[in-house]
Structure formats: structure tokens, C-alpha cells
Amino acid sequence: MKFFYSPHYRSLQPIVASSEFHDLVHVLLSCQEPPTLRELKAKFPEVSFDKTLDRLIASALIIRKNRRYFLGFPVYTEEDQKQLQESDGFYQEALDWSTQEIADFIKSFTVTSAENKYFYGCLQGVEQGVVYSLTHETFQMITYAEAPWPPTLPAFFEANRQLQNLAVYDELMDLIGDVDPVYYLDQVSVIFERIRKNKKVRSSIFLESLQRLKIVSSELDFLLEEINCDNLKNGRYPPSEKDSFLQRLVIAQLAIRTGSYNTLFFNNI
């Protein structure tokens, strides 16, 4: 099972990533009758369980009512996915979006996802796209992908922030290390500016990282399509219009259409 949630729940990330949380969700889903505290503690005898349960209740991820315990968030199935794919007009429309319409939606999603409060789970087999954003004062890179942790710059820095040690980023980590993202982006912004002005760019680990990630070519051509934010339709997809489960389902399909993952480059943000 995978869980998707807004930054509001970020402090619970160690709990959500634990096997204990996954087991607890499975127990609450599979019980014919919501369990009592005694029944839960029989399955989770660890001393730390009480504290974990209290934090989950305080965050409304677990509901305690009449001395019984319920899940406080939805868990979506392949049947839920199928119903949306067959009946939702927004999903059907998204399959035919142009590059500009995709850019509108992806950039809007990064804003609404941060502002909206949500938490939900998905069973194995349910498609949910992921989005990673990296922002400088003059530009923004946003990766959207079919599956977590694609080999892109925004995903790399998010993995570092979460202290994820993933083999897909070993080569990049060996090159630039655990560099501060603000410092890194300042350095590459100078490279981008020199490329645009056809000025000489000296060799550095920052340039090499851009070339390895296919952001800049060996001939110093910029490989990502630049999208001017002045042309975007801001606010087209407010949080109340479509829920996060459907939006991530759309993102997964868009990523599959473009080859599992893609990175958009927005300038003049």
C-alpha cells in the first residue's frame, strides 16, 4: 500500500513509512468490526504503540469513537480507479491535452497540492503519479512521473530532503554530494544565463550534473523546453474542483504518455 499526503502531514512521515503503520491500516481495513484498544494492543504489544496511536488520533488519521478505532482517511482500490477512468470527463479530457495544457495543470497542481489538506492510501495496482518541484527566484523545474523517484534533479533534491538513500541517485550524489539546493540553483542559474547569451561556460561539477541529467547537452544547448509563466492559465484547477486522487491519476497517465517521467522548465516565475 502507498500513501499520499499534503505537507500538512509531513511531520508524520517516519510513522507513515513504518511497517507498524502499514500493519495497523491493514488490520483496520480487514476487521469485520472496528477493534477496541485492547484488541489493537494484543496485535501491537510494543511500548511505543500507545504514543504512535495518540499522534495518529490527534492528526485524525485514526478515529476513536465509542471505544473503537476506525481509519480516518480513504483507501482507494483498482475498482475506484476504473470507475473514474470510465466515467470522469476531466480524466477523459486530460488524455488529449496539449503541452501547454499539461504545463498549466502540473504547475497548478504544485500550488494546490501544497495548499490543500489531504491524506489517502492506495492498494497495490492503483496508478498515482508523483510531482517534484525545485524553485529558484528566476525559474522552476517540475518533474511529473508515473512512479516515485525518477532520475531527475527535482526528485534528487526531494530524496535528499527526506534522507532517502536511493541507488538511482548514487552517481549524482558522488558528483555534487549533499549540496544545499539554494546554492546549487544559484550556480546553475549562472550557467543558464551564459548559455542563453552564447557566452563561454567553464567546466564544473554543476555543468556536469546538468549534462548527466540531460538538462544541458555536451554542445551547451538547453534540452528542456522553456515555458513562459506569463502564458499560463493560473487558477484553472482549484483544489475544490478535483480531488487529489483523481489529479494524481491524471498525472500518471500524462507521464506514461510522455515516457514515464518528464521535467518542465518554467521561467519568469
Side-chain angles (χ1 to χ4, degrees), residues 115-229:
E115 294 176 346
N116 200 12
K117 180 180 176 181
Y118 64 88
F119 190 108
Y120 63 91
C122 291
L123 297 183
Q124 191 71 25
V126 177
E127 296 176 354
Q128 288 285 274
V130 291
V131 175
Y132 303 97
S133 179
L134 192 59
T135 302
H136 183 261
E137 61 183 11
T138 60
F139 65 86
Q140 183 178 36
M141 294 185 196
I142 303 178
T143 293
Y144 62 97
E146 177 188 359
W149 310 122
T152 69
L153 197 61
F156 167 77
F157 278 106
E158 178 61 20
N160 284 356
R161 189 191 67 76
Q162 295 187 24
L163 303 180
Q164 296 273 359
N165 185 18
L166 302 173
V168 66
Y169 306 122
D170 283 351
E171 184 178 332
L172 191 56
M173 181 63 77
D174 289 342
L175 178 64
I176 62 176
D178 188 16
V179 62
D180 177 74
V182 174
Y183 176 75
Y184 176 88
L185 291 176
D186 283 342
Q187 297 301 309
V188 300
S189 68
V190 174
I191 294 174
F192 293 156
E193 187 66 20
R194 296 188 72 83
I195 289 175
R196 290 190 184 98
K197 293 180 177 180
N198 293 318
K199 292 185 177 181
K200 183 178 180 180
V201 179
R202 65 181 179 84
S203 297
S204 68
I205 60 172
F206 304 103
L207 175 60
E208 186 176 347
S209 68
L210 295 174
Q211 291 171 331
R212 289 191 187 185
L213 291 168
K214 296 182 173 56
I215 296 172
V216 172
S217 72
S218 57
E219 292 79 22
L220 299 184
D221 294 318
F222 197 61
L223 298 178
L224 297 181
E225 180 181 359
E226 297 188 64
I227 301 167
N228 191 323
C229 287

Side-chain angles (χ1 to χ4, degrees), residues 85-123:
Q85 289 173 323
E86 293 177 348
S87 63
D88 191 272
F90 179 78
Y91 176 86
Q92 297 294 331
E93 174 194 340
L95 300 181
D96 296 321
W97 276 346
S98 65
T99 300
Q100 181 66 42
E101 289 172 316
I102 292 174
D104 285 340
F105 173 65
I106 295 297
K107 185 159 179 61
S108 176
F109 179 85
T110 64
V111 176
T112 58
S113 183
E115 294 176 346
N116 200 12
K117 180 180 176 181
Y118 64 88
F119 190 108
Y120 63 91
C122 291
L123 297 183

Side-chain angles (χ1 to χ4, degrees), residues 15-16 29 41 59 95 119 123 141 181 199 251 264:
I15 292 177
V16 174
L29 280 176
K41 293 184 74 170
S59 299
L95 300 181
F119 190 108
L123 297 183
M141 294 185 196
K199 292 185 177 181
I251 289 167
L264 301 175

